[in-house]
Amino acid sequence: MEKTIEDPPTSAILLDHCHFSQVIFNSVEKFYIPGGDVTCHYTFTQHFIPRRKDWIGIFRCSLNETIQLFITPDTGSIWHQVGWKTTREYYTFMWVTLPIDLNNKSAKQQEVQFKAYYLPKDDEYYQFCYVDQDGVVRGASIPFQFRPENEEDILVVTTQGEVEEIEQHNKELCKENQELKDSCVSLQKQNSDMQAELQKKQEELETLQSINKKLELKVKEQKDYWETELLQLKEQNQKMSSENEKMGIRVDQLQAQLSTQEKEMEKLVQGDQDKTEQLEQLKKENDHLFLSLTEQRKDQKKLEQTVEQMKHNETTAMKKQQELMDENFDLSKRLSENKMMYNALQREKERLEGENDLLKRENSRLLSYMGLDFDSLPYQVPASDEGGAGQNPGLVYGNPYSGIQESSSPSLLSIKKCPICKSDDICDHTWEQQQMQALCLNCPVCDKIFPATEKQIFEDHVFCHSL
């Protein structure tokens, strides 16, 4: 038998087959090849909880022993147990790895690997057994061998009738076992109830005994206290008799004092009556003051209403002032924009005057080049009355594009008084008229108006005047 450094927990008690079905071994081969590692697959049943010191061992079986077949109630699978009686007869073992979450389905399927070095080297029959930390077997596998594949397999044949008889007998045993388990559970419950009741009675008895002891101590203490109290009362009686004599003398003195105090009391009663009259007078004065205070409160309320009205008026005035300030700001902004427009128009006027001078000089140069005089021209285009600059007299047929320049860039000389607001300065109405003129083309001869989109028609019309 081979052991590791720390021996597993075992038991010398004979096996109890009722616990063998709590761990089921899966995929157990009939034989394993020597020299290789062996993986043991096992499954926890629903009611089994593994613990830290649980282990799986390999136990040697003997074919000469009687093979026992059992059908587990949970899975119905058949397992075998042969040749060994206690858990101390293991060959080698491996500690069980505890799953993290037992409620998970995958945690029920576990495995452990036996290294080849620790496995048996003979061809005897062995089986896996799951042993808990109390040394109790919780599951056993079918027997297997360690031998090569080419050896002849041993086949155990059982007739169908024997299997059915064994299964029927097993079912009867399982039913009887279940009945015994139910009876045992009932007896255990009754036993636990009786033990709990007995424990309760014992606790009550101990409580009563403790109370009895406390009462006996209290009675003894009370008796001692009463004896001491009796002695003290006797001493106090003696003292009271002596003090009674003293009290008689004291009573006489107090009666004398009482007569004196009665006289003083009469004086105090008389003074109390005087104070009562004064209090009545003060109450009347208080009533007058209360009426005066009520009137003052009414006046104060009126003043508060007046103040509220003044605050409301002040708020309204402030709002109106803010509106006037906003309007003043808008007017200032419009004035600034008009000034900027005026400066732009002034610059445009200066530019147009410079261009006009250049055109005049160019016309004079052309006339002198042609040998013509301005006065000898047969026809001159009349200048516009309302334009700030007329057509160039040096041209033979006039300047056909002068209307475009004048309408697109009006000079400040052509600005008249606004017919709406009668202002000499540039106002919003004048600016609107200039914008409308900028969108139209005026004929310089007949004052006919053309849209800005019909520029070619306008040029042809002006050219017809020159023919």
Side-chain angles (χ1 to χ4, degrees):
M1 185 179 297
E2 185 176 349
K3 296 184 180 181
T4 56
I5 298 175
E6 182 182 358
D7 292 335
T10 58
S11 175
I13 302 174
L14 294 178
L15 300 177
D16 184 5
H17 300 305
C18 64
H19 300 297
F20 277 27
S21 61
Q22 294 182 356
V23 178
I24 307 300
F25 289 92
N26 306 318
S27 304
V28 180
E29 303 291 341
K30 293 181 180 179
F31 62 89
Y32 294 96
I33 300 173
D37 297 340
V38 175
T39 302
C40 174
H41 300 275
Y42 57 96
T43 304
F44 295 124
T45 58
Q46 183 178 1
H47 303 290
F48 180 71
I49 300 175
R51 293 182 289 179
R52 186 174 62 86
K53 285 291 186 177
D54 293 356
W55 55 282
I56 294 177
I58 296 178
F59 290 79
R60 180 181 286 110
C61 302
S62 176
L63 292 179
N64 295 327
E65 299 290 340
T66 303
I67 298 177
Q68 300 178 359
L69 303 177
F70 295 92
I71 299 177
T72 60
D74 297 332
T75 61
S77 60
I78 299 175
W79 57 270
H80 307 255
Q81 182 269 318
V82 293
W84 53 275
K85 299 298 182 182
T86 65
T87 55
R88 293 182 179 178
E89 300 177 20
Y90 67 91
Y91 182 86
T92 185
F93 79 98
M94 289 293 295
W95 295 110
V96 173
T97 302
L98 295 179
I100 298 175
D101 185 9
L102 288 174
N103 295 324
N104 191 0
K105 185 176 180 181
S106 61
K108 302 293 183 180
Q109 305 290 336
Q110 299 292 324
E111 64 179 30
V112 65
Q113 190 177 41
F114 290 89
K115 296 297 181 181
Y117 177 78
Y118 298 101
L119 296 176
K121 304 297 188 294
D122 53 19
D123 57 353
E124 295 292 336
Y125 281 90
Y126 294 88
Q127 66 179 154
F128 298 116
C129 290
Y130 188 100
V131 185
D132 63 8
Q133 66 180 15
D134 297 328
V136 180
V137 178
R138 300 294 180 177
S141 69
I142 61 174
F144 56 85
Q145 287 181 289
F146 293 95
R147 63 180 177 82
E149 294 183 7
N150 55 3
E151 294 186 9
E152 184 179 359
D153 295 336
I154 298 175
L155 179 63
V156 178
V157 179
T158 306
T159 63
Q160 183 68 24
E162 291 177 355
V163 172
E164 292 178 355
E165 184 179 356
I166 290 170
E167 289 180 353
Q168 182 66 26
H169 182 64
N170 189 26
K171 288 180 181 179
E172 293 176 358
L173 289 176
C174 289
K175 184 178 180 181
E176 185 179 355
N177 187 20
Q178 185 64 34
E179 292 176 356
L180 291 173
K181 284 183 179 180
D182 295 339
S183 177
C184 182
V185 170
S186 178
L187 291 174
Q188 287 178 355
K189 184 177 180 182
Q190 292 178 3
N191 187 19
S192 61
D193 294 339
M194 293 179 67
Q195 286 181 355
E197 187 176 358
L198 179 61
Q199 182 69 23
K200 185 177 180 181
K201 295 293 184 183
Q202 288 179 354
E203 291 177 357
E204 291 178 356
L205 180 60
E206 290 176 357
T207 305
L208 291 174
Q209 289 177 354
S210 176
I211 293 172
N212 190 18
K213 289 180 181 179
K214 291 180 180 179
L215 289 175
E216 288 177 355
L217 291 174
K218 285 184 178 180
V219 168
K220 186 177 180 180
E221 292 176 356
Q222 191 70 23
K223 186 178 179 181
D224 295 338
Y225 176 74
W226 285 345
E227 289 177 356
T228 305
E229 189 72 18
L230 182 60
L231 293 175
Q232 292 178 356
L233 288 173
K234 287 180 179 179
E235 292 177 358
Q236 288 180 1
N237 191 14
Q238 293 176 358
K239 290 179 181 180
M240 290 296 292
S241 59
S242 60
E243 289 180 357
N244 193 12
E245 294 177 357
K246 294 179 181 179
M247 289 296 293
I249 299 171
R250 181 63 177 167
V251 166
D252 294 337
Q253 293 176 355
L254 290 174
Q255 286 179 353
Q257 290 179 1
L258 181 60
S259 60
T260 306
Q261 288 179 358
E262 285 178 354
K263 293 178 181 179
E264 293 178 354
M265 182 63 71
E266 291 177 356
K267 294 180 181 179
L268 291 172
V269 169
Q270 185 64 33
D272 189 26
Q273 291 178 354
D274 296 337
K275 289 181 179 179
T276 302
E277 293 176 356
Q278 292 178 1
L279 182 60
E280 291 293 334
Q281 185 66 27
L282 290 173
K283 285 183 178 179
K284 292 179 181 179
E285 293 178 358
N286 190 17
D287 292 337
H288 291 298
L289 291 174
F290 181 74
L291 293 174
S292 177
L293 180 61
T294 304
E295 293 177 357
Q296 289 180 1
R297 286 181 178 176
K298 290 180 180 179
D299 296 338
Q300 184 179 1
K301 189 174 182 180
K302 291 180 181 179
L303 290 173
E304 289 178 354
Q305 292 177 354
T306 305
V307 170
E308 289 294 331
Q309 185 64 27
M310 293 177 66
K311 287 182 179 179
H312 179 70
N313 295 336
E314 183 181 359
T315 304
T316 305
M318 290 179 67
K319 289 182 179 179
K320 189 172 182 181
Q321 183 181 3
Q322 184 65 31
E323 292 176 356
L324 292 173
M325 290 176 67
D326 295 339
E327 186 177 356
N328 188 15
F329 178 75
D330 293 337
L331 292 173
S332 300
K333 185 177 180 181
R334 291 174 62 183
L335 179 60
S336 176
E337 292 176 354
N338 291 333
K339 287 182 178 180
M340 293 174 64
M341 192 183 300
Y342 174 79
N343 293 330
L345 293 173
Q346 185 69 27
R347 289 192 296 271
E348 184 66 18
K349 175 193 171 185
E350 293 175 358
R351 186 182 66 80
L352 292 174
E353 288 178 351
E355 290 180 357
N356 194 13
D357 293 337
L358 290 174
L359 290 172
K360 286 180 179 180
R361 287 195 295 272
E362 181 66 18
N363 195 11
S364 300
R365 187 180 64 81
L366 291 173
L367 289 174
S368 61
Y369 177 76
M370 295 173 61
L372 298 176
D373 191 5
F374 179 77
D375 295 333
S376 63
L377 291 176
Y379 172 76
Q380 292 181 357
V381 179
S384 177
D385 295 336
E386 295 178 0
Q391 292 181 347
N392 193 344
L395 296 177
V396 178
Y397 300 106
N399 187 5
Y401 301 105
S402 62
I404 300 173
Q405 295 176 358
E406 292 173 359
S407 62
S408 61
S409 301
S411 63
L412 292 176
L413 296 175
S414 64
I415 298 174
K416 297 181 179 180
K417 289 185 179 182
C418 179
I420 298 174
C421 60
K422 305 300 181 179
S423 175
D424 294 333
D425 199 356
I426 297 174
C427 62
D428 293 339
H429 308 94
T430 308
W431 174 248
E432 292 175 357
Q433 292 177 0
Q434 293 175 357
Q435 292 294 326
M436 291 297 295
Q437 292 177 1
L439 297 175
C440 301
L441 300 173
N442 296 328
C443 178
V445 180
C446 63
D447 293 334
K448 188 175 181 180
I449 299 174
F450 293 87
T453 57
E454 299 178 355
K455 184 177 179 181
Q456 185 63 40
I457 298 173
F458 168 75
E459 292 177 354
D460 296 338
H461 174 77
V462 175
F463 180 72
C464 290
H465 285 293
S466 61
L467 295 177

